Amino acid sequence: MGKEYYKKRIIDLRASLAREKENKKKDNEYYARLIKNASSPSSKSSYRKSKIDKAASHDRQIEYIKRQIESAKESMKRC
C-alpha cells in the first residue's frame, strides 16, 4: 500500500478520534443530567455506575484509535 493510502487513513483516524472524544463529552453531560435529576438514591447510584462504565468504554476506544494512528505512521515510514 502506498503513502497516499496511509495519509488518508491517518486523516480518517484523526476524524474518528475527534468524534469519539465528542461522544464521550456528550455522554458525560447526559449522565450528569440523569444523576442530577434522579429521584432515588438507588437510581442515582445506577446512573453513576453507567457513567463510569461508558466513560471507560470511550477511553478504551480512544486509546485503540491512537494505537491505529501510530501503526499507520510506522507503516507509512516503511513505504
Side-chain angles (χ1 to χ4, degrees):
M1 302 200 197
K3 284 190 177 191
E4 290 305 313
Y5 168 79
Y6 290 112
K7 285 180 184 178
K8 183 180 179 328
R9 178 106 173 101
I10 290 169
I11 290 168
D12 292 343
L13 287 168
R14 285 185 178 149
S16 340
L17 184 63
R19 267 193 312 276
E20 191 64 32
K21 286 181 178 181
E22 187 62 32
N23 288 342
K24 179 181 177 183
K25 185 178 171 184
K26 285 180 183 177
D27 281 347
N28 275 341
E29 290 169 356
Y30 170 74
Y31 282 109
R33 205 168 32 256
L34 284 176
I35 292 167
K36 182 180 176 191
N37 296 328
S39 56
S40 70
S42 63
S43 61
K44 219 175 233 202
S45 170
S46 173
Y47 290 143
R48 280 193 185 107
K49 183 182 179 325
S50 296
K51 181 180 178 184
I52 291 167
D53 291 344
K54 196 69 170 171
S57 171
H58 284 297
D59 288 340
R60 282 191 302 275
Q61 188 64 25
I62 287 168
E63 288 306 311
Y64 174 70
I65 294 170
K66 285 180 180 178
R67 283 193 307 273
Q68 284 186 313
I69 290 171
E70 290 306 312
S71 173
K73 284 180 182 177
E74 290 299 318
S75 297
M76 192 169 72
K77 284 180 187 175
R78 279 183 256 139
C79 282

Coordinates of all heavy atoms in Angstrom, one line a residue:
M1 N 0.8 -1.2 0.0 CA 0.0 0.0 0.0 C 0.9 1.2 0.0 O 1.9 1.2 0.6 CB -0.9 0.0 1.2 CG -1.8 -1.3 1.3 SD -3.2 -1.0 2.3 CE -3.6 -2.7 2.5
G2 N 0.4 2.3 -0.7 CA 1.2 3.5 -0.9 C 1.1 4.5 0.3 O 0.2 4.3 1.2
K3 N 2.0 5.5 0.2 CA 1.9 6.5 1.2 C 0.6 7.3 1.2 O 0.2 7.7 2.3 CB 3.1 7.5 1.0 CG 4.4 6.9 1.4 CD 5.5 8.0 1.4 CE 6.8 7.4 1.9 NZ 7.8 8.4 2.2
E4 N 0.0 7.4 0.1 CA -1.2 8.2 0.0 C -2.3 7.4 0.8 O -3.1 8.1 1.5 CB -1.7 8.3 -1.5 CG -0.8 9.3 -2.3 CD -0.7 10.6 -1.6 OE1 -1.8 11.2 -1.2 OE2 0.4 11.2 -1.5
Y5 N -2.3 6.1 0.7 CA -3.3 5.3 1.5 C -3.1 5.6 3.0 O -4.1 5.8 3.7 CB -3.1 3.8 1.2 CG -3.9 3.0 2.2 CD1 -5.2 2.7 2.0 CD2 -3.2 2.4 3.3 CE1 -5.9 2.0 2.9 CE2 -3.9 1.6 4.2 CZ -5.3 1.4 4.0 OH -6.0 0.6 4.9
Y6 N -1.9 5.6 3.5 CA -1.7 5.8 4.9 C -2.0 7.2 5.3 O -2.5 7.5 6.4 CB -0.2 5.4 5.3 CG 0.0 3.9 5.2 CD1 0.8 3.3 4.3 CD2 -0.7 3.1 6.1 CE1 1.0 2.0 4.2 CE2 -0.5 1.7 6.0 CZ 0.3 1.1 5.0 OH 0.4 -0.2 5.0
K7 N -1.7 8.2 4.4 CA -2.0 9.6 4.7 C -3.5 9.7 4.9 O -4.0 10.4 5.9 CB -1.5 10.5 3.6 CG 0.0 10.7 3.7 CD 0.4 11.7 2.6 CE 1.9 11.8 2.5 NZ 2.3 12.7 1.4
K8 N -4.3 9.1 4.0 CA -5.8 9.2 4.1 C -6.3 8.5 5.3 O -7.1 8.9 6.0 CB -6.4 8.6 2.8 CG -7.9 8.7 2.8 CD -8.5 8.1 1.6 CE -10.0 8.1 1.5 NZ -10.7 8.1 2.7
R9 N -5.6 7.3 5.6 CA -6.0 6.5 6.8 C -5.8 7.3 8.1 O -6.7 7.4 9.0 CB -5.2 5.3 6.8 CG -5.4 4.4 8.0 CD -6.2 3.2 7.6 NE -6.3 2.2 8.7 CZ -7.4 2.1 9.5 NH1 -8.5 2.8 9.2 NH2 -7.4 1.3 10.5
I10 N -4.7 8.0 8.2 CA -4.4 8.8 9.3 C -5.4 10.0 9.5 O -5.9 10.2 10.6 CB -2.9 9.4 9.3 CG1 -1.9 8.2 9.5 CG2 -2.7 10.5 10.3 CD1 -0.5 8.6 9.2
I11 N -5.7 10.6 8.4 CA -6.7 11.7 8.4 C -8.1 11.1 8.9 O -8.7 11.7 9.8 CB -6.9 12.4 7.0 CG1 -5.6 13.1 6.7 CG2 -8.1 13.2 7.0 CD1 -5.5 13.6 5.3
D12 N -8.5 10.0 8.4 CA -9.7 9.4 8.8 C -9.7 9.0 10.3 O -10.7 9.2 11.0 CB -10.1 8.1 7.9 CG -10.4 8.5 6.5 OD1 -10.7 9.7 6.2 OD2 -10.3 7.6 5.7
L13 N -8.6 8.5 10.7 CA -8.5 8.1 12.1 C -8.5 9.3 13.1 O -9.1 9.2 14.1 CB -7.2 7.3 12.4 CG -7.2 5.8 11.8 CD1 -5.8 5.2 11.8 CD2 -8.2 4.9 12.6
R14 N -7.9 10.3 12.6 CA -8.0 11.6 13.5 C -9.4 12.1 13.6 O -9.8 12.6 14.6 CB -7.0 12.6 12.9 CG -5.6 12.3 13.2 CD -4.6 13.4 12.8 NE -3.3 13.0 13.1 CZ -2.2 13.4 12.4 NH1 -2.4 14.2 11.3 NH2 -1.0 13.1 12.8
A15 N -10.1 12.0 12.5 CA -11.5 12.4 12.5 C -12.3 11.5 13.4 O -13.2 12.0 14.2 CB -12.1 12.4 11.1
S16 N -12.1 10.2 13.4 CA -12.8 9.3 14.3 C -12.4 9.6 15.8 O -13.2 9.5 16.7 CB -12.5 7.9 14.1 OG -12.1 7.3 13.1
L17 N -11.1 9.9 16.0 CA -10.7 10.3 17.4 C -11.5 11.5 17.9 O -12.0 11.5 19.0 CB -9.2 10.5 17.3 CG -8.5 10.8 18.7 CD1 -8.6 9.6 19.6 CD2 -7.1 11.2 18.5
A18 N -11.6 12.5 17.0 CA -12.3 13.7 17.4 C -13.8 13.4 17.7 O -14.4 13.9 18.7 CB -12.2 14.8 16.3
R19 N -14.4 12.5 16.8 CA -15.8 12.1 17.1 C -16.0 11.4 18.4 O -16.9 11.6 19.1 CB -16.3 11.2 15.9 CG -16.9 12.0 14.8 CD -17.7 11.0 13.8 NE -16.9 9.9 13.4 CZ -16.0 9.9 12.4 NH1 -15.8 11.0 11.7 NH2 -15.4 8.8 12.1
E20 N -15.0 10.5 18.6 CA -15.1 9.7 19.9 C -15.0 10.6 21.1 O -15.7 10.4 22.1 CB -14.0 8.6 19.9 CG -14.2 7.6 21.0 CD -15.4 6.7 20.8 OE1 -15.9 6.5 19.7 OE2 -16.0 6.3 21.9
K21 N -14.1 11.6 21.1 CA -13.9 12.5 22.2 C -15.2 13.3 22.4 O -15.6 13.5 23.5 CB -12.7 13.4 22.0 CG -11.4 12.7 22.2 CD -10.3 13.6 22.0 CE -8.9 12.9 22.2 NZ -7.8 13.8 22.0
E22 N -15.8 13.7 21.3 CA -17.1 14.5 21.3 C -18.2 13.6 21.9 O -19.0 14.1 22.7 CB -17.5 15.0 19.9 CG -18.6 15.9 19.9 CD -18.4 17.2 20.8 OE1 -17.3 17.7 20.8 OE2 -19.4 17.7 21.3
N23 N -18.3 12.3 21.5 CA -19.3 11.4 22.0 C -19.1 11.2 23.5 O -20.1 11.1 24.3 CB -19.2 10.1 21.3 CG -19.8 10.2 19.9 OD1 -20.5 11.1 19.5 ND2 -19.4 9.2 19.1
K24 N -17.8 11.1 23.9 CA -17.6 10.9 25.4 C -18.1 12.1 26.2 O -18.7 12.0 27.2 CB -16.1 10.7 25.6 CG -15.7 10.6 27.1 CD -14.2 10.4 27.3 CE -13.9 10.4 28.8 NZ -12.5 10.3 29.0
K25 N -17.8 13.3 25.6 CA -18.3 14.5 26.3 C -19.8 14.6 26.4 O -20.4 14.9 27.4 CB -17.7 15.7 25.5 CG -18.0 17.1 26.1 CD -17.4 18.2 25.2 CE -17.8 19.5 25.7 NZ -17.3 20.6 24.8
K26 N -20.5 14.2 25.3 CA -21.9 14.3 25.3 C -22.5 13.2 26.3 O -23.5 13.5 27.0 CB -22.5 14.0 23.9 CG -22.3 15.1 22.9 CD -22.9 14.8 21.6 CE -22.7 15.9 20.6 NZ -23.1 15.5 19.2
D27 N -21.9 12.0 26.3 CA -22.4 11.0 27.2 C -22.2 11.5 28.7 O -23.1 11.2 29.5 CB -21.7 9.7 27.0 CG -22.3 8.9 25.8 OD1 -23.3 9.3 25.3 OD2 -21.6 8.0 25.4
N28 N -21.0 12.1 29.0 CA -20.8 12.6 30.3 C -21.8 13.6 30.7 O -22.3 13.5 31.9 CB -19.4 13.1 30.4 CG -18.3 12.1 30.7 OD1 -18.7 11.0 31.2 ND2 -17.1 12.4 30.5
E29 N -22.2 14.5 29.8 CA -23.2 15.5 30.1 C -24.5 14.9 30.3 O -25.3 15.2 31.2 CB -23.2 16.5 29.0 CG -22.0 17.4 28.9 CD -22.0 18.3 27.7 OE1 -22.8 18.1 26.8 OE2 -21.0 19.1 27.6
Y30 N -24.9 13.9 29.5 CA -26.1 13.2 29.6 C -26.3 12.5 30.9 O -27.3 12.6 31.6 CB -26.2 12.2 28.4 CG -27.4 11.2 28.6 CD1 -28.7 11.6 28.3 CD2 -27.2 9.9 28.9 CE1 -29.7 10.7 28.4 CE2 -28.2 9.0 29.0 CZ -29.5 9.4 28.8 OH -30.6 8.5 28.9
Y31 N -25.2 11.7 31.3 CA -25.3 11.0 32.6 C -25.3 12.0 33.8 O -25.9 11.7 34.8 CB -24.2 10.0 32.7 CG -24.5 8.7 31.9 CD1 -23.8 8.4 30.8 CD2 -25.5 7.8 32.3 CE1 -24.1 7.3 30.0 CE2 -25.8 6.7 31.6 CZ -25.1 6.4 30.5 OH -25.5 5.3 29.7
A32 N -24.6 13.1 33.7 CA -24.5 14.1 34.8 C -25.9 14.6 35.0 O -26.4 14.8 36.1 CB -23.6 15.2 34.4
R33 N -26.6 14.8 33.9 CA -28.0 15.4 34.0 C -28.9 14.3 34.6 O -29.8 14.6 35.4 CB -28.5 15.7 32.5 CG -29.6 16.7 32.5 CD -29.9 17.3 31.1 NE -29.7 16.4 30.0 CZ -28.6 16.5 29.1 NH1 -27.7 17.4 29.3 NH2 -28.5 15.6 28.1
L34 N -28.8 13.1 34.2 CA -29.6 12.0 34.8 C -29.3 11.9 36.3 O -30.3 11.7 37.1 CB -29.3 10.6 34.1 CG -29.8 10.4 32.8 CD1 -29.3 9.0 32.2 CD2 -31.3 10.4 32.8
I35 N -28.1 11.9 36.7 CA -27.7 11.8 38.1 C -28.3 13.0 38.9 O -28.9 12.8 40.0 CB -26.2 11.8 38.3 CG1 -25.6 10.5 37.7 CG2 -25.7 12.0 39.7 CD1 -24.1 10.5 37.5
K36 N -28.2 14.2 38.3 CA -28.7 15.4 39.0 C -30.2 15.3 39.2 O -30.7 15.7 40.2 CB -28.4 16.6 38.2 CG -28.8 17.9 38.8 CD -28.4 19.1 37.9 CE -29.0 20.4 38.5 NZ -28.9 21.5 37.6
N37 N -30.9 14.8 38.2 CA -32.4 14.7 38.3 C -33.0 13.4 38.8 O -34.2 13.3 38.9 CB -33.0 15.0 36.9 CG -32.6 16.4 36.4 OD1 -32.5 17.3 37.2 ND2 -32.4 16.5 35.1
A38 N -32.1 12.5 39.3 CA -32.6 11.2 39.8 C -33.4 11.4 41.1 O -33.0 12.2 41.9 CB -31.4 10.3 40.0
S39 N -34.4 10.7 41.2 CA -35.3 10.8 42.4 C -34.9 10.0 43.5 O -35.1 10.3 44.7 CB -36.8 10.6 42.0 OG -36.8 9.3 41.4
S40 N -34.3 8.8 43.3 CA -34.0 7.9 44.4 C -32.5 7.7 44.4 O -31.8 7.7 43.4 CB -34.7 6.6 44.2 OG -34.1 5.9 43.1
P41 N -32.0 7.4 45.6 CA -30.5 7.1 45.7 C -30.1 5.9 44.9 O -29.0 5.9 44.4 CB -30.3 6.8 47.2 CG -31.5 7.5 47.9 CD -32.6 7.4 46.9
S42 N -30.9 4.9 44.8 CA -30.5 3.7 44.0 C -30.4 4.0 42.5 O -29.5 3.6 41.9 CB -31.5 2.6 44.2 OG -32.8 2.9 43.7
S43 N -31.3 4.9 42.0 CA -31.2 5.2 40.6 C -30.0 6.1 40.4 O -29.3 6.0 39.3 CB -32.5 5.9 40.1 OG -32.7 7.1 40.7
K44 N -29.7 7.0 41.3 CA -28.5 7.9 41.3 C -27.3 7.0 41.2 O -26.4 7.2 40.4 CB -28.5 8.8 42.5 CG -28.1 10.2 42.2 CD -28.2 11.0 43.4 CE -29.0 12.2 43.1 NZ -28.8 13.4 43.9
S45 N -27.2 6.0 42.0 CA -26.1 5.1 42.1 C -25.9 4.3 40.8 O -24.8 4.2 40.2 CB -26.2 4.1 43.2 OG -25.3 3.1 43.2
S46 N -27.0 3.9 40.2 CA -27.0 3.2 39.0 C -26.5 4.1 37.8 O -25.7 3.6 37.0 CB -28.4 2.7 38.7 OG -28.5 2.1 37.4
Y47 N -27.0 5.3 37.8 CA -26.5 6.2 36.8 C -25.0 6.5 36.9 O -24.3 6.6 35.9 CB -27.3 7.5 36.8 CG -28.8 7.4 36.4 CD1 -29.8 8.1 37.0 CD2 -29.2 6.6 35.4 CE1 -31.1 8.0 36.6 CE2 -30.5 6.5 35.0 CZ -31.4 7.2 35.6 OH -32.7 7.1 35.2
R48 N -24.6 6.6 38.1 CA -23.1 6.9 38.3 C -22.3 5.7 37.8 O -21.3 5.9 37.1 CB -22.8 7.1 39.8 CG -23.1 8.4 40.3 CD -22.5 8.7 41.7 NE -22.9 10.0 42.2 CZ -23.8 10.2 43.1 NH1 -24.4 9.1 43.8 NH2 -24.2 11.4 43.5
K49 N -22.8 4.5 38.1 CA -22.0 3.3 37.6 C -22.1 3.3 36.0 O -21.0 3.0 35.4 CB -22.7 2.1 38.1 CG -21.9 0.8 37.7 CD -22.6 -0.4 38.3 CE -21.9 -1.7 37.9 NZ -21.3 -1.8 36.6
S50 N -23.2 3.6 35.5 CA -23.3 3.6 34.0 C -22.4 4.7 33.4 O -21.8 4.5 32.4 CB -24.8 3.9 33.6 OG -25.6 2.9 34.0
K51 N -22.3 5.8 34.1 CA -21.5 6.9 33.6 C -20.0 6.5 33.6 O -19.3 6.7 32.6 CB -21.7 8.1 34.4 CG -20.8 9.3 34.0 CD -21.0 10.5 34.9 CE -20.2 11.7 34.5 NZ -20.3 12.8 35.4
I52 N -19.6 5.8 34.6 CA -18.2 5.4 34.7 C -17.9 4.3 33.7 O -16.9 4.3 33.0 CB -17.9 4.8 36.2 CG1 -17.9 6.0 37.2 CG2 -16.6 4.0 36.2 CD1 -18.0 5.5 38.6
D53 N -18.8 3.4 33.5 CA -18.7 2.3 32.5 C -18.6 2.9 31.1 O -17.7 2.5 30.3 CB -19.8 1.3 32.6 CG -19.8 0.4 33.8 OD1 -18.7 0.4 34.5 OD2 -20.8 -0.2 34.1
K54 N -19.5 3.8 30.8 CA -19.5 4.4 29.5 C -18.2 5.2 29.2 O -17.6 5.2 28.1 CB -20.7 5.3 29.3 CG -21.1 5.7 27.9 CD -21.6 4.5 27.2 CE -22.1 4.9 25.9 NZ -22.4 3.8 25.0
A55 N -17.7 6.0 30.2 CA -16.5 6.8 30.1 C -15.3 5.8 29.8 O -14.5 6.1 29.0 CB -16.3 7.6 31.3
A56 N -15.3 4.7 30.5 CA -14.2 3.7 30.4 C -14.2 3.2 29.0 O -13.2 3.0 28.3 CB -14.3 2.7 31.4
S57 N -15.4 2.9 28.5 CA -15.6 2.4 27.1 C -15.0 3.4 26.1 O -14.3 3.0 25.2 CB -17.0 2.1 26.9 OG -17.2 1.7 25.5
H58 N -15.4 4.6 26.3 CA -14.9 5.7 25.4 C -13.4 5.8 25.4 O -12.7 5.9 24.4 CB -15.5 7.0 25.7 CG -16.9 7.2 25.2 ND1 -17.3 7.1 23.9 CD2 -18.1 7.4 25.9 CE1 -18.6 7.3 23.8 NE2 -19.1 7.4 25.0
D59 N -12.8 5.7 26.7 CA -11.4 5.8 26.8 C -10.6 4.6 26.1 O -9.6 4.9 25.5 CB -11.0 5.8 28.3 CG -11.4 7.1 29.0 OD1 -11.5 8.1 28.4 OD2 -11.5 7.0 30.3
R60 N -11.2 3.4 26.2 CA -10.6 2.3 25.5 C -10.6 2.5 24.0 O -9.6 2.2 23.3 CB -11.4 1.0 25.9 CG -11.0 0.4 27.2 CD -11.6 -1.0 27.4 NE -13.0 -1.1 27.2 CZ -13.9 -0.8 28.2 NH1 -13.4 -0.5 29.4 NH2 -15.2 -0.9 28.0
Q61 N -11.7 3.0 23.5 CA -11.9 3.3 22.1 C -10.9 4.3 21.6 O -10.2 4.2 20.6 CB -13.3 3.7 21.7 CG -13.6 3.8 20.3 CD -13.5 2.4 19.5 OE1 -13.6 1.4 20.1 NE2 -13.1 2.5 18.3
I62 N -10.7 5.4 22.4 CA -9.8 6.5 22.1 C -8.3 5.9 22.1 O -7.6 6.2 21.1 CB -9.9 7.6 23.1 CG1 -11.2 8.4 22.9 CG2 -8.7 8.6 23.1 CD1 -11.6 9.3 24.0
E63 N -8.0 5.1 23.0 CA -6.6 4.5 23.0 C -6.4 3.6 21.8 O -5.4 3.6 21.2 CB -6.4 3.7 24.3 CG -6.2 4.6 25.5 CD -5.1 5.6 25.3 OE1 -4.0 5.3 24.9 OE2 -5.4 6.8 25.6
Y64 N -7.4 2.8 21.4 CA -7.4 2.0 20.3 C -7.1 2.8 19.0 O -6.3 2.4 18.2 CB -8.7 1.2 20.1 CG -8.7 0.3 18.9 CD1 -7.9 -0.8 18.7 CD2 -9.6 0.7 17.9 CE1 -8.0 -1.5 17.6 CE2 -9.7 -0.1 16.7 CZ -8.9 -1.2 16.6 OH -9.0 -1.9 15.4
I65 N -7.8 3.9 18.9 CA -7.7 4.8 17.7 C -6.3 5.4 17.7 O -5.6 5.4 16.6 CB -8.8 5.8 17.6 CG1 -10.1 5.2 17.4 CG2 -8.5 6.9 16.5 CD1 -11.3 6.2 17.6
K66 N -5.8 5.8 18.8 CA -4.4 6.3 18.9 C -3.4 5.3 18.5 O -2.4 5.6 17.8 CB -4.1 6.8 20.3 CG -4.8 8.1 20.7 CD -4.5 8.5 22.1 CE -5.1 9.8 22.5 NZ -4.8 10.2 23.9
R67 N -3.6 4.1 18.9 CA -2.6 3.0 18.5 C -2.7 2.8 17.0 O -1.7 2.5 16.4 CB -2.9 1.7 19.2 CG -2.5 1.7 20.7 CD -2.5 0.3 21.3 NE -3.8 -0.4 21.2 CZ -4.8 -0.3 22.0 NH1 -4.6 0.5 23.1 NH2 -5.9 -0.9 21.9
Q68 N -3.9 2.8 16.4 CA -4.0 2.7 15.0 C -3.3 3.8 14.2 O -2.7 3.6 13.2 CB -5.5 2.6 14.6 CG -6.2 1.4 14.9 CD -7.6 1.4 14.3 OE1 -8.4 2.3 14.5 NE2 -8.0 0.3 13.7
I69 N -3.4 5.0 14.7 CA -2.7 6.2 14.1 C -1.2 5.9 14.1 O -0.5 6.1 13.1 CB -3.1 7.5 14.8 CG1 -4.6 7.9 14.5 CG2 -2.2 8.6 14.4 CD1 -5.1 9.0 15.3
E70 N -0.7 5.5 15.3 CA 0.7 5.2 15.4 C 1.2 4.1 14.4 O 2.2 4.2 13.8 CB 1.1 4.9 16.8 CG 1.0 6.0 17.8 CD 1.9 7.2 17.3 OE1 3.0 7.0 17.0 OE2 1.3 8.4 17.3
S71 N 0.4 3.1 14.3 CA 0.6 2.0 13.4 C 0.7 2.5 12.0 O 1.6 2.1 11.2 CB -0.4 0.9 13.6 OG -0.2 -0.1 12.7
A72 N -0.3 3.3 11.6 CA -0.3 3.8 10.2 C 0.9 4.7 10.0 O 1.5 4.6 8.9 CB -1.6 4.6 10.0
K73 N 1.3 5.5 10.9 CA 2.5 6.3 10.8 C 3.8 5.4 10.5 O 4.6 5.7 9.7 CB 2.7 7.2 12.0 CG 1.8 8.4 12.1 CD 2.1 9.2 13.3 CE 1.2 10.4 13.5 NZ 1.4 11.1 14.7
E74 N 3.9 4.4 11.3 CA 5.0 3.4 11.2 C 5.0 2.8 9.8 O 6.0 2.6 9.2 CB 5.0 2.4 12.3 CG 5.3 2.9 13.7 CD 6.7 3.5 13.8 OE1 7.6 2.9 13.2 OE2 6.8 4.6 14.4
S75 N 3.8 2.3 9.4 CA 3.7 1.7 8.1 C 4.0 2.7 6.9 O 4.7 2.3 6.0 CB 2.3 1.2 7.9 OG 2.0 0.2 8.8
M76 N 3.7 3.9 7.1 CA 3.9 4.9 6.1 C 5.5 5.1 6.0 O 6.0 5.3 4.9 CB 3.2 6.2 6.4 CG 3.2 7.2 5.3 SD 2.2 8.6 5.5 CE 3.0 9.5 6.8
K77 N 6.2 5.1 7.1 CA 7.6 5.3 7.1 C 8.3 4.2 6.4 O 9.3 4.4 5.7 CB 8.2 5.3 8.6 CG 7.9 6.6 9.3 CD 8.5 6.6 10.7 CE 8.1 7.8 11.5 NZ 8.5 7.7 12.9
R78 N 7.7 2.9 6.5 CA 8.3 1.8 5.8 C 8.1 1.8 4.3 O 8.8 1.1 3.6 CB 7.7 0.5 6.4 CG 8.4 0.1 7.7 CD 7.9 -1.2 8.2 NE 7.0 -0.9 9.3 CZ 5.8 -1.4 9.5 NH1 5.4 -2.4 8.7 NH2 5.0 -1.1 10.5
C79 N 7.2 2.6 3.8 CA 6.9 2.7 2.4 C 8.0 3.4 1.6 O 8.6 4.3 2.1 CB 5.6 3.4 2.1 SG 4.2 2.4 2.4

